[in-house]
Amino acid sequence: MDYPVFAQLLGNFGFPIAVTLFLLVKLEKKMEHLESAIHTLSKAVTAIKAKERR
């Protein structure tokens, strides 16, 4: 592959790939916090249901 073709491909696709990777890394922590909050909420709902059955 010629250098100009490679440079053009990198210019066309390199930036979107870099932005995507950056966003995935940044959002990973937020997704982990969201997952934790969902598990906590699920436990709370289960506990409320258990109290209602008594």
Side-chain angles (χ1 to χ4, degrees):
M1 186 180 296
D2 295 325
Y3 179 75
V5 174
F6 180 72
Q8 184 179 8
L9 286 173
L10 184 61
N12 289 341
F13 298 108
F15 179 73
I17 290 172
V19 170
T20 301
L21 291 174
F22 174 76
L23 290 175
L24 285 174
V25 168
K26 287 292 270 186
L27 292 177
E28 182 179 6
K29 287 185 179 182
K30 290 183 182 182
M31 293 297 286
E32 288 173 359
H33 289 290
L34 181 59
E35 182 181 0
S36 175
I38 290 171
H39 285 296
T40 304
L41 181 60
S42 176
K43 289 178 184 177
V45 168
T46 303
I48 290 172
K49 284 184 179 181
K51 286 182 182 179
E52 288 178 354
R53 291 182 184 166
R54 291 181 187 176

